[in-house]
Amino acid sequence: MNKVLVLGAGQLARMMDLAGTPLNLDVKAFDVRSNKVVHPLANEHTYGDLQTGIDNCDVITAEFEHIAHDVLAVCEASGKLLPSSDAIKIGGDRRLEKALLESCQVANAKHKIIDSRADFDAAIADLQLPIIFKSALEGYDGKGQWRLKSMDQAAAIWADMQDFVEQANTSVPQGIIAEQMVPFEREVSIVGARSRNGEIAVYPITENHHTNGVLSVSLAVASTNALQEQALEVFTKLTEKLDYVGVLAIEFFQVGEQLLVNEIAPRVHNSGHWTQQGSDCCQFENHLRATLGLPLGNTELIRPTAMINILGEDSVPEQVLSIPGVAMHWYNKSKRAGRKMGHINVCANSEQQLAEKLQLLASILEPNAFEDLQDFADRFQARLG
């Protein structure tokens, strides 16, 4: 039995365990809050400290990128960490991420690194309004971001960013990236896996919709070959540059027929949850296969699928389960406003049928809890004609 240690004990480690059980894999998780190795489905069951976990596993991987560097160093020294600590750090620091994109000549938004007020002023002079400022570390789900739309906001934004940086409690110095805001048509992502021997398998492009900066709906339907090939080319460049092993997600802005990289995530990703019902081999299983040196599973879209995040709610109407093609995935978390509590996958035999199911779900689910679902369903329906 192969044994896997996941750095992080959240829902992604949980879903890796669920995907690994049929393969007879033993998955444990290192809880960075308690510094204990725990069972991914029942954190109250503990199995010693980090070193014990390292000694008793075949491979170490991660469910998130904001891991203390001393923890990464210990894991890297064991020779068991996949992907590498460098790859994980790049996903957690936008400065390193931008450097990687530039080194691979991958298209992304025009940007500047901000270390001082002089850098801030120079960025405003060089970039066109509107400009988005993002924290280099630990910014996710809309946090650590500021939008400069007019010059009368500049002083207040600088003061807020300066305070944010000074208050940072990070293992390396916090920083800010200034980016030209992109007038994109839609946000899409690609999730794929690269194995130890360099084999690559990517899932179809997914269209993503955000509510208040947090992913709310991902839609996996047939895409144009040109866009898919463009995303695959970027995925291949980045993973080969990093000698990457595991699942990697890349978020893009689509501008016409061009894809601009927004950010990368060196792990299984929220926009790939649809793969649990929409593909033969989900992203969680493929991540385990890749890191253990097993053949990668089929990543083709087998039916149109959408994923709906459940944010801040610990229940949904039971009527949801009466809809054919619906699967529930709860994370066993305590209720908190805005928290990712679970997700709903809904599948159909055609895009039109999927649109109808999304309309039905929007009519059943509480509109205040799923505030943009009806709008997304309406736009998807209108697109199909």
Side-chain angles (χ1 to χ4, degrees):
M1 176 183 286
N2 284 313
K3 297 181 178 181
V4 179
L5 179 66
V6 181
L7 301 179
Q11 67 263 23
L12 301 181
R14 175 187 180 90
M15 287 183 274
M16 274 189 252
D17 183 37
L18 291 169
T21 297
L23 293 178
N24 199 33
L25 304 181
D26 178 7
V27 179
K28 297 291 192 299
F30 175 65
D31 187 339
V32 297
R33 296 165 299 181
S34 67
N35 291 318
K36 295 292 184 182
V37 175
V38 302
H39 193 286
L41 301 183
N43 291 178
E44 65 272 18
H45 294 289
T46 61
Y47 305 90
D49 60 10
L50 176 61
Q51 191 57 56
T52 302
I54 292 172
D55 293 341
N56 289 292
C57 74
D58 299 300
V59 68
I60 308 166
T61 191
E63 68 151 13
F64 75 120
E65 50 269 46
H66 303 295
I67 300 168
H69 287 191
D70 59 340
V71 171
L72 289 177
V74 171
C75 294
E76 186 80 74
S78 73
K80 299 178 181 181
L81 181 63
L82 294 172
S84 69
S85 61
D86 285 343
I88 294 170
K89 289 175 184 177
I90 285 170
D93 189 330
R94 287 190 171 93
R95 293 163 296 197
L96 300 177
E97 181 181 74
K98 291 296 187 184
L100 172 67
L101 297 176
E102 295 298 317
S103 71
C104 292
Q105 299 182 317
V106 169
N108 62 102
K110 188 177 180 181
H111 60 275
K112 299 289 182 181
I113 296 176
I114 308 298
D115 290 320
S116 65
R117 179 60 192 257
D119 293 335
F120 178 74
D121 293 337
I124 293 174
D126 191 50
L127 303 175
Q128 294 180 340
L129 298 182
I131 299 170
I132 184 167
F133 297 89
K134 301 177 179 178
S135 62
L137 307 166
E138 297 188 348
Y140 59 94
D141 289 346
K143 300 176 179 67
Q145 297 187 3
W146 302 262
R147 287 169 172 77
L148 178 64
K149 298 179 181 179
S150 63
M151 286 305 300
D152 58 6
Q153 299 173 297
I157 287 177
W158 169 253
D160 195 31
M161 287 195 306
Q162 191 174 34
D163 183 63
F164 177 87
V165 170
E166 290 173 354
Q167 298 295 321
N169 182 25
T170 53
S171 56
V172 296
Q174 180 62 276
I176 302 292
I177 300 288
E179 279 188 3
Q180 184 77 66
M181 287 188 72
V182 176
F184 58 88
E185 296 171 21
R186 61 177 185 155
E187 294 181 63
V188 300
S189 62
I190 192 168
V191 173
R194 184 176 183 271
S195 69
R196 291 187 178 199
N197 65 6
E199 177 190 4
I200 286 176
V202 299
Y203 294 94
I205 284 176
T206 304
E207 179 179 339
N208 301 318
H209 178 70
H210 293 78
T211 301
N212 300 321
V214 182
L215 181 66
S216 52
V217 183
S218 285
L219 178 69
V221 295
S223 186
T224 66
N225 288 336
L227 283 180
Q228 185 72 23
E229 289 171 6
Q230 193 178 153
L232 173 59
E233 181 181 359
V234 172
F235 183 91
T236 302
K237 280 184 178 180
L238 297 182
T239 54
E240 290 186 348
K241 175 77 171 183
L242 294 170
D243 194 19
Y244 192 89
V245 177
V247 162
L248 177 84
I250 308 173
E251 297 180 358
F252 298 95
F253 296 128
Q254 183 180 345
V255 182
E257 293 305 305
Q258 184 181 26
L259 296 178
L260 301 178
V261 173
N262 177 28
E263 60 185 37
I264 65 175
R267 55 177 171 81
V268 289
H269 193 259
N270 199 174
S271 68
H273 290 357
W274 66 268
T275 62
Q276 291 169 305
Q277 271 70 49
S279 65
D280 283 333
C281 186
C282 72
Q283 64 165 340
F284 305 100
E285 181 177 333
N286 259 332
H287 183 71
L288 295 170
R289 287 183 181 218
T291 56
L292 289 166
L294 302 172
L296 297 181
N298 181 27
T299 55
E300 294 177 2
L301 177 72
I302 58 176
R303 51 185 178 171
T305 306
M307 185 280 305
I308 302 161
N309 265 339
I310 304 172
L311 304 173
E313 299 292 320
D314 58 3
S315 66
V316 296
E318 291 180 358
Q319 189 180 353
V320 167
L321 294 174
S322 70
I323 303 173
V326 162
M328 295 293 309
H329 298 268
W330 290 105
Y331 305 155
N332 192 31
K333 291 182 177 181
S334 56
K335 185 175 180 178
R336 190 174 71 216
R339 193 178 199 187
K340 292 178 180 177
M341 302 290 291
H343 66 273
I344 303 168
N345 283 339
V346 54
C347 302
N349 295 323
S350 67
E351 292 181 25
Q352 183 60 49
Q353 189 183 70
L354 180 59
E356 292 168 0
K357 290 185 179 184
L358 286 172
Q359 289 284 356
L360 181 55
L361 277 168
S363 71
I364 295 172
L365 295 169
E366 169 58 45
N368 291 329
F370 299 85
E371 55 183 294
D372 287 342
L373 180 57
Q374 185 66 65
D375 177 63
F376 181 86
D378 289 344
R379 287 188 287 111
F380 180 44
Q381 184 79 65
R383 207 162 73 197
L384 296 176

